[in-house]
Amino acid sequence: MISVSIIEDHSLYRNSLASSILENKSFELKGVYSSAEEALENLPNECPDIAIVDIKLSNMSGIDLVMQSREGLNKTLFLMCTGFQNDEKIFSALQAGASGYIIKGSTSTEIHEALIELYNGGSPMSPYIARKVISLIQGRQPAKQKVDLGLSERELEVLSLLSKGLLYKEISEMLFISPNTVKNHCKNIYKRLHVQNKIEALNKFKDYSYN
């Protein structure tokens, strides 16, 4: 049985992750925390096999949590679960000591598979994240033209989930916001990207990056 702890400050998503772990007999839920500070205090006593960590926490970030936990928790593997997909956050998390990186919006099955892969020595990552890492290893940037979309974090989350084919209702449930709020975010996205529809927005999204 793989022991798992969760560090996530969004209560609904935190509960969703916990339920996902509890529903699978392959996993044991050790601890669930809403802050990095709380986790730092308790993780050394739990020594979970894997800690699922959000990057954006209320005070100390998930990246700082991983960095500070490396020495005292050398047997614990860290799986980042977040909406961030830009170069800086990806590489900062991996350099801090994270061994895997999945995106919020992943299904329970995808989360379970990532945990098992990580436990068995793999480094689970979404395909987009994997391409970014390969580009870094090869010492070059992706061949596609780089574009700074200038969107907010929430707008990027919405656009990311749209790119996976999710509907407004599914996105609202995933991000714990109303469908109308999702629609408003989409309107703002189209306006900022100077596009007319979802297809045009997603075409730009394929080439985005942050400088």
Side-chain angles (χ1 to χ4, degrees):
M1 185 176 290
I2 303 171
S3 59
V4 180
S5 291
I6 297 170
I7 302 93
E8 165 65 54
D9 63 348
H10 194 296
S11 60
L12 291 177
Y13 192 72
R14 184 171 64 246
N15 293 336
S16 175
L17 278 177
S19 297
S20 176
I21 299 304
L22 290 170
E23 73 185 19
N24 191 312
K25 294 182 179 180
S26 298
F27 307 114
E28 173 192 5
L29 187 60
K30 283 278 192 176
V32 181
Y33 306 108
S34 61
S35 70
E37 291 83 356
E38 186 183 8
L40 282 172
E41 183 177 345
N42 291 279
L43 285 177
N45 296 323
E46 295 173 359
C47 294
D49 295 316
I50 299 174
I52 302 176
V53 185
D54 185 15
I55 283 184
K56 186 182 179 184
L57 298 170
S58 54
N59 293 309
M60 180 189 295
S61 74
I63 293 174
D64 289 334
L65 165 64
V66 173
M67 191 174 298
Q68 293 191 28
S69 299
R70 268 193 310 192
E71 293 184 6
L73 291 167
N74 52 14
K75 293 185 178 181
T76 296
L77 300 169
F78 293 93
L79 177 65
M80 310 311 286
C81 182
T82 181
F84 288 107
Q85 296 188 50
N86 63 73
D87 291 3
E88 178 185 357
K89 298 298 183 183
I90 296 168
F91 299 138
S92 293
L94 296 176
Q95 289 170 355
S99 299
Y101 200 121
I102 59 175
I103 303 302
K104 281 185 177 178
S106 301
T107 65
S108 289
T109 299
E110 289 171 337
I111 293 172
H112 296 167
E113 290 175 348
L115 290 168
I116 293 171
E117 180 182 348
L118 185 57
Y119 184 77
N120 289 328
S123 297
M125 297 181 190
S126 72
Y128 177 85
I129 302 300
R131 286 196 299 271
K132 289 279 190 179
V133 174
I134 289 171
S135 295
L136 176 68
I137 293 173
Q138 292 176 339
R140 60 180 176 82
Q141 294 297 326
K144 294 181 179 180
Q145 181 182 2
K146 299 177 69 179
V147 180
D148 183 356
L149 297 185
L151 302 178
S152 69
E153 293 170 7
R154 177 61 82 186
E155 289 165 349
L156 280 171
E157 287 180 329
V158 170
L159 191 52
S160 174
L161 294 175
L162 280 174
S163 72
K164 297 179 181 180
L166 273 67
L167 303 175
Y168 286 173
K169 184 176 183 297
E170 294 171 320
I171 294 174
S172 70
E173 292 173 352
M174 192 67 63
L175 299 180
F176 308 104
I177 57 179
S178 71
N180 283 335
T181 300
V182 175
K183 291 180 182 179
N184 289 333
H185 280 310
C186 288
K187 289 179 182 177
N188 290 334
I189 290 170
Y190 300 160
K191 183 177 180 180
R192 292 192 184 194
L193 297 184
H194 305 289
V195 298
Q196 301 298 319
N197 53 53
K198 180 177 73 174
I199 294 176
E200 292 180 4
L202 292 178
N203 284 335
K204 278 199 173 184
F205 180 66
K206 290 177 183 178
D207 298 319
Y208 90 91
S209 68
Y210 292 77
N211 299 303

